[in-house]
């Protein structure tokens, strides 16, 4: 089966209803798992004929790697990977066990028909390179290593081994694009793009309703000029000078930077905190107080998590993104991407009357950072529109997903319209051409697994006719 071109065969509704009270994993029917390897966490998402939507669980990398902190500090990445994969195998088996019908023989792992790995990184055949996960995974057969860890855990528990008939590794942008094409913001769109905004930034274009790999890895295809934030796209022959011998994007030391270094969550947080810190200690203190009030951390913990950034030059901001606790980065992003409409309006009114206090300045800076974020996204949209237009392909729609895109989809309607208006003014695209994803990540990235399980189950469905 071609996973990228298959269309789901819907099961009869009476068949689904007949099995509604049954646990989703049984010895009679195949099931599938999408393992989503993101920059913030690793998730397992279950597809079964007895589920109308996937069920899932998440493990943060901070939690997963906690037992290996010392190994990480010592630079023993091989041992750290072994420890991490062992824990992944244990969690995977427990997840399946939780959703299986009780059986003295254990869960029916022989019915695991499909396992697809959706990874936030570069996929080259079976080899994967992850850029936002601290495991040193470069050109590794990630699927094989995780499957080996799963079967070792099954052996320890005395359960039957698994040998899935379909194993695939795809870039998370490709998996997300397929989900959006099937049931999301790109449904019935022929020429569009899906962009992931989260711990990293990824994305891919589709033409003719299929992935267009000549325009993938959009987080590094968009180049942002420092002086005026204009954007150009690496395409065709222009991309080769920016790639290393391993096919990875090389660091830039010029006036341009990759869009990921502006739009990925940790980078957006780092740039905002650096801007506040440069205003002076009183403003950095106001930011610490604001974060502690809204996010539940102690002010001392917030301040210790932010203070290192003040000493870093702008060209070394990535060091803060790597070293700062991920929960501190998340709470800064929460402030940036969940603005209070009333607070912003009140602050802007005070600014006009020149009666601002340090807390108002922090609110105003966070709003300007938020606005600048969507202005840059709009410029990326304009660059993509121009690039596709030069090939005779009209750009119909860009869908923004990932943790940030999905959070923005839940804005109050007035705030969502404001974000759309900002992007539209910079992109030149018509209304509705840049939208936040309406799908959960698990629903989106699980589309390929669901299609595979639907196909495998079609013959079984006739039994319940």
């Amino acid at each position: 089966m071609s996973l990228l071109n298959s269309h789901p065969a819907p099961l009869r509704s009476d068949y689904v209803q007949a099995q509604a009270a049954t646990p989703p994993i049984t010895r009679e029917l195949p099931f599938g798992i999408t393992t989503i390897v993101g920059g913030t966490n690793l998730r397992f998402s279950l597809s079964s004929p007895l589920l109308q939507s996937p069920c899932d669980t998440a493990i943060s990398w901070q939690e997963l790697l906690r037992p290996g902190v010392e190994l990480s500090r010592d630079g023993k990445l091989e041992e750290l990977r072994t420890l991490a994969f062992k824990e992944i195998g244990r969690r995977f088996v427990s997840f399946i066990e939780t959703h299986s019908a009780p059986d003295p023989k254990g869960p029916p792992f022989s019915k695991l028909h499909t396992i697809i790995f959706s990874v936030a990184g570069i996929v080259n055949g079976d080899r994967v390179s992850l850029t936002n996960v601290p495991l040193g995974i470069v050109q590794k057969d990630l699927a094989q290593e995780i499957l080996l860890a799963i079967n070792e855990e099954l052996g320890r528990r005395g359960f039957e081994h698994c040998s899935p008939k379909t194993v695939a590794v795809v870039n998370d942008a490709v998996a997300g694009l397929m989900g959006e094409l099937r049931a999301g913001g790109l449904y019935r769109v022929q020429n569009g793009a899906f962009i992931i905004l989260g711990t990293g930034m990824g994305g891919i274009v589709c033409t003719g309703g299929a992935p267009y790999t000549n325009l993938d890895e959009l987080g590094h295809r968009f180049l942002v000029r420092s002086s005026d934030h204009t954007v150009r796209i690496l395409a065709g022959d222009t991309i080769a000078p920016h790639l290393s011998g391993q096919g990875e994007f090389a660091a830039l030391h010029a006036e341009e930077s990759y869009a990921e270094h502006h739009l990925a969550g940790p980078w957006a947080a780092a740039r905002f905190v650096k801007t506040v810190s440069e205003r002076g200690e009183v403003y950095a203190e106001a930011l610490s107080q604001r974060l502690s009030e809204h996010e539940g951390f102690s002010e001392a913990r917030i301040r210790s998590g932010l203070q290192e950034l003040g000493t870093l030059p702008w060209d070394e901001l990535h060091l803060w993104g790597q070293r700062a606790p991920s929960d501190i980065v998340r709470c800064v992003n929460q402030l940036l991407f969940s603005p209070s409409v009333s607070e912003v309006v009140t602050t802007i009114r005070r600014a006009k009357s020149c009666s601002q206090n340090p807390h108002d300045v922090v609110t105003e800076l966070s709003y300007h950072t938020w606005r600048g974020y969507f202005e840059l996204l709009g410029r990326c949209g304009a660059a993509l529109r121009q690039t596709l237009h030069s090939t005779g392909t009209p750009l119909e729609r860009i869908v923004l997903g990932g943790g940030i895109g999905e959070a923005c989809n839940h804005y109050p309607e007035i705030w969502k319209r404001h974000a759309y208006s900002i992007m539209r003014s910079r992109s030149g695209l018509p209304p509705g051409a840049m939208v936040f994803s309406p799908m959960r990540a698990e629903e989106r990235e699980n589309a390929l697994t669901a299609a595979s399980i639907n196909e495998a189950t079609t013959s079984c469905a006739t039994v319940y006719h």
Side-chain angles (χ1 to χ4, degrees):
M1 180 185 73
S2 174
L3 289 170
L4 297 185
N5 296 309
S6 61
H7 295 279
L11 295 175
R12 293 177 54 88
S13 60
D14 56 348
Y15 167 62
V16 174
Q17 290 168 6
Q19 300 298 322
T22 307
I25 299 176
T26 70
R27 291 200 172 274
E28 288 72 41
L29 295 170
F31 69 95
I33 299 290
T34 306
T35 301
I36 304 170
V37 184
T40 302
N41 55 38
L42 181 142
R43 285 161 285 159
F44 302 129
S45 186
L46 168 65
S47 284
S48 161
L50 306 181
L51 289 171
Q52 295 193 4
S53 62
C55 63
D56 47 78
T57 189
I59 320 164
S60 71
W61 286 107
Q62 189 173 10
E63 174 189 1
L64 189 62
L65 298 177
R66 188 176 293 126
V69 168
E70 295 302 324
L71 290 174
S72 177
R73 289 173 179 165
D74 295 340
K76 298 178 181 177
L77 286 178
E78 193 65 39
E79 293 180 47
L80 182 63
R81 275 196 302 272
T82 300
L83 196 64
F85 287 149
K86 182 177 179 180
E87 181 63 12
I88 290 170
R90 188 183 74 79
R91 297 291 189 99
F92 184 98
V93 173
S94 296
F95 176 66
I96 301 303
E97 193 171 24
T98 299
H99 295 285
S100 299
D103 191 323
K105 300 176 183 177
F109 276 89
S110 59
K111 303 302 290 185
L112 177 56
H113 180 278
T114 301
I115 181 166
I116 293 179
F117 296 86
S118 170
V119 300
I122 298 171
V123 178
N124 183 11
D126 293 333
R127 301 287 166 173
V128 172
S129 297
L130 302 180
T131 56
N132 293 308
V133 176
L135 284 176
I137 296 178
V138 178
Q139 289 290 303
K140 298 286 185 182
D141 191 340
L142 183 69
Q144 190 58 39
E145 292 197 37
I146 291 180
L147 282 171
L148 180 62
I150 290 169
N151 276 321
E152 286 178 351
E153 178 65 22
L154 291 173
R156 277 191 288 272
R157 300 195 191 191
F159 294 161
E160 60 190 22
H161 279 204
C162 66
S163 183
K165 293 181 177 61
T166 300
V167 178
V169 182
V170 294
N171 175 265
D172 60 342
V174 175
L177 176 72
M178 297 308 298
E180 294 290 344
L181 285 168
R182 288 171 179 275
L186 293 174
Y187 183 62
R188 294 183 177 174
V189 168
Q190 291 295 303
N191 308 310
F194 173 61
I195 295 178
I196 299 171
L197 302 167
T199 307
M201 178 183 176
I204 187 169
V205 166
C206 68
T207 58
Y212 182 59
T213 55
N214 286 342
L215 280 174
D216 61 358
E217 294 291 336
L218 292 180
H220 289 85
R221 295 258 187 186
F222 293 120
L223 293 188
V224 182
R225 189 162 66 184
S226 302
S227 57
D228 57 7
H229 278 196
T230 55
V231 176
R232 70 183 180 97
I233 289 184
L234 293 175
D237 295 338
T238 64
I239 195 171
H242 294 82
L243 296 176
S244 68
Q246 290 75 38
E248 298 174 309
F249 287 91
L252 296 179
H253 299 287
E255 66 166 3
E256 289 184 311
S257 53
Y258 297 119
E260 180 175 78
H261 297 167
H262 297 262
L263 299 174
W267 280 93
R271 288 175 181 275
F272 168 65
V273 174
K274 181 69 173 173
T275 299
V276 173
S277 298
E278 288 190 342
R279 285 293 188 100
E281 179 61 30
V282 65
Y283 300 104
E285 186 174 324
L287 174 60
S288 297
Q289 291 173 357
R290 174 72 176 273
L291 293 174
S292 64
E293 289 170 3
H294 285 264
E295 303 303 328
F297 293 103
S298 70
E299 190 177 329
R301 169 149 166 66
I302 292 285
R303 191 175 294 126
S304 67
L306 302 181
Q307 63 185 0
E308 180 184 7
L309 191 61
T311 63
L312 289 175
W314 279 95
D315 60 356
E316 293 182 6
L317 289 189
H318 64 284
L319 296 177
W320 185 77
Q322 292 171 1
R323 297 170 185 169
S326 59
D327 52 1
I328 300 295
V329 174
R330 276 199 303 276
C331 75
V332 175
N333 284 150
Q334 181 74 15
L335 171 65
L336 284 177
F337 296 107
S338 300
S340 164
V341 178
S342 60
E343 282 185 9
V344 170
V345 171
T346 300
T347 297
I348 291 174
R349 285 174 177 167
R350 284 179 183 161
K352 291 179 179 178
S353 64
C354 301
S355 60
Q356 284 185 306
N357 57 46
H359 288 271
D360 288 337
V361 172
V362 169
T363 298
E364 186 176 9
L365 288 173
S366 69
Y367 168 69
H368 285 302
T369 300
W370 179 90
R371 184 183 180 91
Y373 187 92
F374 291 107
E375 288 177 345
L376 183 54
L377 276 173
R379 292 188 180 101
C380 290
L384 194 55
R385 174 179 57 83
Q386 293 162 5
T387 298
L388 288 179
H389 179 74
S390 68
T391 67
T393 305
L395 177 63
E396 298 171 66
R397 183 173 296 165
I398 299 172
V399 173
L400 305 172
I404 294 174
E406 290 154 30
C408 294
N409 188 51
H410 296 289
Y411 281 159
E413 194 58 34
I414 186 173
W415 209 240
K416 188 186 292 189
R417 287 202 305 268
H418 186 35
Y420 283 158
S421 175
I422 293 168
M423 290 189 289
R424 189 167 63 248
S425 69
R426 300 298 180 181
S427 68
L429 290 165
M434 289 188 76
V435 299
F436 303 123
S437 173
M439 302 182 76
R440 287 194 313 127
E442 289 75 17
E443 293 173 327
R444 184 192 308 117
E445 296 185 49
N446 207 47
L448 297 178
T449 304
S452 177
I453 297 305
N454 266 307
E455 183 173 295
T457 313
T458 301
S459 59
C460 300
T462 59
V463 175
Y464 296 89
H465 180 37

